[in-house]
């Protein structure tokens, strides 16, 4: 009927009524007003938006495919995937923490308070906690820390202890420490003082295993740290989950741009990071 929204028109936060786009699918395109958008250090920005009810159902480890404004006169063809960093269901907000690396994220960085962010999601498979786990270990570096951030919420909601080992170039790039401090313990390891060396991280992990504070491992953001956790996890039979970073196009399954190789019981398998992941079993994932 004339004037009716298309089934495919985006959900406009603050304007659309849930019934208008209540298709029986959990994913939608939505226009989300920017609440705040600030630099946290020289490379990363923290973006807070008002989110739709469907977007607020996002689970830690899932992501949204964001339509970034162009930073110049050229067009930006593809959306850019960004994990959810924090979910504030009480205030109806979703937060992202992202690194400005190229045209997409430079364009994203131009959004001002009150602008609309066009996002598609929530997408992919997120992190999960086994009810038997009492204390878990999170190990992240760089943009991986943004992806691991909401595990702090998951552990608090499930009354599970967490030690977060946050690896960074220097103290300026240690992020999500406030979130994890509210949930458990934080150990920062830095390039600037040498504590981020694999041998040192290994001894921290060994100590946590010996103290029985490592029922499960979670990692994202560094191939060498992933390889380390995978090795220690295998040696001690500790289950683990890794969030994979992979260049994506559609983010929805059909284009196969994001395929990676996995190894399941010695057999190689191809999986799409966007819909089969981005979170995978650590022992089945293969480094990049
Ligand atoms: C599921 C998922 C979740 C992500 N979550 C976050 C997040 O929470 N915070 C964050 O800062 N970044 C995150 N990323 C990475 C983010 O998508 C890329 O940094 C972004 O797409 C780069 O776009 P660009 O146009 O600015 O850079 P481009 O010009 O496209 O690329 C610049 C550089 O970034 C690298 N790059 C591009 N796309 C990706 C990608 N998908 N993954 C890794 N490196 C990439 C390129 O190889 C190149 O070196 C995530 C990626 C995935 C797949
Ligand atoms: S990004 Fe298109 S199938 Fe994964």
């Amino acid at each position: 009927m004339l004037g009716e929204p298309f089934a495919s028109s985006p959900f406009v936060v603050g304007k659309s009524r849930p019934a208008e786009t209540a298709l029986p699918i959990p994913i939608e395109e939505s226009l989300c007003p920017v609440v705040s958008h600030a630099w946290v250090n020289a490379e990363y920005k923290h973006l807070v938006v008002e989110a739709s009810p469907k977007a607020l159902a996002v689970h830690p480890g899932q992501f949204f495919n964001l339509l970034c404004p162009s930073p110049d006169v050229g067009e930006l063809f593809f959306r850019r995937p960004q994990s959810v960093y924090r979910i504030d269901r009480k205030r109806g907000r979703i937060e992202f923490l992202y690194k400005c690396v190229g045209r997409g994220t430079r364009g994203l960085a131009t959004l001002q308070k009150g602008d609309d962010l066009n996002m598609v999601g929530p997408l992919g498979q997120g992190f999960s906690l086994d009810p038997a786990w009492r204390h878990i270990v999170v190990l992240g570096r760089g943009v991986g820390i943004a992806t691991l951030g909401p595990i702090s919420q998951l552990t608090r909601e499930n009354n599970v202890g967490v030690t977060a080992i946050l690896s960074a170039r220097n103290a300026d790039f240690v992020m999500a420490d406030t979130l994890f401090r509210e949930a458990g313990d934080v150990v920062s390891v830095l390039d600037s003082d040498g504590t981020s060396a694999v041998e040192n991280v290994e001894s921290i992990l060994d100590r946590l295993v010996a103290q029985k504070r490592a029922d499960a491992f979670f990692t994202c953001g560094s191939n060498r740290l992933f390889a380390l956790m995978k090795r220690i996890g295998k040696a001690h039979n500790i289950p683990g989950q890794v969030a994979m970073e992979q260049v994506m196009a559609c983010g929805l399954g059909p284009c196969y741009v994001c395929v990676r190789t996995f190894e399941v019981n010695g057999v190689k398998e191809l999986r799409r990071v966007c819909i089969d992941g981005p979170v995978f079993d650590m022992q089945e994932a293969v480094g990049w």
Side-chain angles (χ1 to χ4, degrees):
M1 202 193 292
L2 213 62
E4 285 290 307
F6 286 104
S8 59
S9 59
F11 184 98
V12 185
V13 176
K15 292 192 182 138
S16 300
R17 280 175 287 124
E20 286 174 359
T21 53
L23 296 172
I25 49 169
I27 299 163
E28 71 181 358
E29 179 186 10
S30 54
L31 292 180
C32 304
V34 172
V35 176
S36 66
H37 197 182
W39 290 97
V40 297
N41 56 39
E43 293 175 6
Y44 284 79
K45 283 197 97 166
H46 179 219
L47 171 61
V48 183
V49 299
E50 281 175 43
S52 70
K54 279 191 185 180
L56 282 167
V58 65
H59 193 73
Q62 286 190 300
F63 68 97
F64 290 89
N65 227 356
L66 306 183
L67 192 63
C68 304
S70 171
D72 47 45
V73 290
E75 226 176 306
L76 265 182
F77 289 110
F78 295 113
R79 288 172 179 266
R80 301 299 196 267
Q82 296 289 343
S83 311
V84 63
Y85 174 62
R86 194 167 165 270
I87 310 150
D88 186 347
R89 293 201 175 88
K90 244 190 223 150
R91 291 200 286 180
R93 294 174 180 180
I94 280 179
E95 304 181 18
F96 299 96
L97 178 68
Y98 68 94
K99 183 177 183 179
C100 284
V101 285
R103 285 186 66 232
T105 44
R106 278 208 307 277
L108 190 61
T110 63
L111 283 177
Q112 308 277 329
K113 185 176 172 178
D115 288 347
D116 281 334
L117 170 64
N118 182 313
M119 34 193 251
V120 167
L123 299 171
Q125 313 297 325
F127 298 107
S128 55
L129 286 185
D130 185 306
W133 297 340
R134 299 312 333 139
H135 199 103
I136 63 163
V137 183
V138 166
L139 173 60
R141 184 173 168 97
V143 298
I145 292 178
T147 301
L148 296 167
I151 291 181
S152 60
Q153 290 184 262
L154 204 55
T155 51
R156 266 191 306 161
E157 284 162 11
N158 289 278
N159 213 12
V160 171
V162 57
T163 301
I165 307 169
L166 306 175
S167 173
R169 257 178 285 158
N170 57 49
D172 281 353
F173 292 97
V174 177
M175 295 167 291
D177 47 331
T178 317
L179 294 185
F180 280 109
R181 233 169 244 122
E182 285 167 8
D185 304 325
V186 172
V187 183
S188 308
V189 292
L190 309 176
D191 298 352
S192 55
D193 62 11
T195 48
S196 65
V198 171
E199 308 74 53
N200 185 49
V201 178
E202 181 164 2
S203 64
I204 296 168
L205 289 173
D206 283 342
R207 206 163 45 243
L208 289 165
V209 172
Q211 291 168 346
K212 302 206 180 313
R213 289 161 71 83
D215 294 329
F217 283 161
F218 293 76
T219 191
C220 185
S222 156
N223 197 29
R224 69 193 171 109
L225 296 179
F226 158 69
L228 171 68
M229 256 195 160
K230 184 173 171 174
R231 176 163 58 78
I232 298 181
K234 189 163 189 189
H236 296 278
N237 209 15
I238 295 169
Q241 293 164 34
V242 55
M244 309 285 280
E245 287 159 35
Q246 179 71 353
V247 174
M248 291 182 181
C250 72
L252 296 165
C255 79
Y256 283 73
V257 159
C258 63
V259 165
R260 292 184 68 115
T261 305
F262 292 78
E263 205 171 310
V264 184
N265 301 323
V267 179
K268 292 211 167 25
E269 263 186 23
L270 298 177
R271 292 179 182 167
R272 285 164 290 177
V273 172
C274 68
I275 59 165
D276 298 323
V279 176
F280 292 96
D281 181 289
M282 194 177 285
Q283 295 303 328
E284 294 179 352
V286 176
W288 53 94

